[in-house]
Amino acid sequence: MRIGVLCLQGAFIEHIHMLGSLGAESFEIRQKSDLARSFDGLIIPGGESTVIGKLLGDLGMMDDVRNMITDGMPVFGTCAGLILLARHIENDPHVYLGTMDISARRNAYGRQLGSFACTADMKGIGEIPMTFIRAPYIEKVSGNAETLSVVDGHIVAAREGNQLVTAFHPELTGDTRVHEYFLKMIKH
Ligand code: GLN
């Protein structure tokens, strides 16, 4: 199994390390030609959604990535990755990939409270540590999208078929279970 990690900006190295610790092969997607390689799953990391979104457009990768996902490529978006996958962003006029039936709110916890850690339950996994960094949350899931975790009344993880998103950064904790969940999603 090989996972492509979108490495345009943000916290991609941590995903690569975590995949390595699980014995999964990964490679860096930095340009359009990298999308032509064969791979079984895609990770879109946290970072700055506006920057990653602009680069996806400038590098001519936006449509290819979107088509890949709508064709069924398993994808895992963390934080900014969640924003890029959302069909609607409450406080931003942009839609980037827009493949997932969720409505996201960027920097939803405000500037001062934007970064915090907690533990909470994630459906299908159990209690896990969660690290939030200027995080979004999901205002609303619609259609086939399903809520997987709620923290303080806000949705912080969801799944819709081949798409998994977390508002927090599992790659910044020592707990590998969310990545294992994603690898299992790919196998099924
Ligand atoms: N605040 C960032 C954004 O709006 C997301 C932060 C993150 O990915 N840690 O894109």
Side-chain angles (χ1 to χ4, degrees):
M1 187 190 306
R2 191 152 56 145
I3 314 297
V5 180
L6 192 66
C7 296
L8 302 181
Q9 189 262 338
F12 50 81
I13 289 293
E14 292 82 356
H15 280 288
I16 289 173
H17 289 160
M18 192 155 261
L19 290 168
S21 78
L22 292 171
E25 193 189 331
S26 64
F27 73 101
E28 301 184 359
I29 298 177
R30 293 185 172 272
Q31 53 196 344
K32 191 178 167 78
S33 58
D34 295 326
L35 295 170
R37 294 179 62 173
S38 108
F39 55 104
D40 310 293
L42 171 68
I43 289 183
I44 305 179
E48 203 51 48
S49 55
T50 49
V51 175
I52 302 175
K54 182 171 189 321
L55 288 168
L56 277 172
D58 291 352
L59 295 167
M61 297 164 74
M62 189 75 86
D63 291 344
D64 294 14
V65 173
R66 183 183 300 115
N67 291 338
M68 229 171 233
I69 296 168
T70 53
D71 284 348
M73 170 69 77
V75 61
F76 175 23
T78 53
C79 204
L82 176 157
I83 295 166
L84 290 161
L85 289 165
R87 186 150 295 158
H88 182 253
I89 307 170
E90 299 283 338
N91 51 348
D92 189 320
H94 289 100
V95 176
Y96 298 99
L97 295 163
T99 51
M100 189 166 177
D101 235 342
I102 56 173
S103 187
R105 179 172 293 279
R106 291 186 63 202
N107 301 317
Y109 297 91
R111 294 208 174 271
Q112 299 305 319
L113 298 171
S115 305
F116 62 96
C118 66
T119 61
D121 198 66
M122 182 159 161
K123 190 175 174 190
I125 300 180
E127 182 105 347
I128 52 166
M130 298 179 177
T131 300
F132 293 84
I133 303 172
R134 292 182 303 105
Y137 58 63
I138 300 171
E139 287 268 350
K140 199 168 72 201
V141 299
S142 335
N144 293 321
E146 184 196 1
T147 296
L148 296 183
S149 183
V150 176
V151 170
D152 292 337
H154 301 302
I155 304 168
V156 297
R159 175 165 176 190
E160 180 181 350
N162 58 318
Q163 305 182 70
L164 173 70
V165 291
T166 61
F168 53 91
H169 289 265
E171 78 284 5
L172 298 182
T173 70
D175 194 307
T176 55
R177 286 177 293 164
V178 180
H179 287 75
E180 287 169 51
Y181 178 98
F182 179 56
L183 297 180
K184 261 187 234 150
M185 249 172 81
I186 297 173
K187 281 188 197 130
H188 288 154

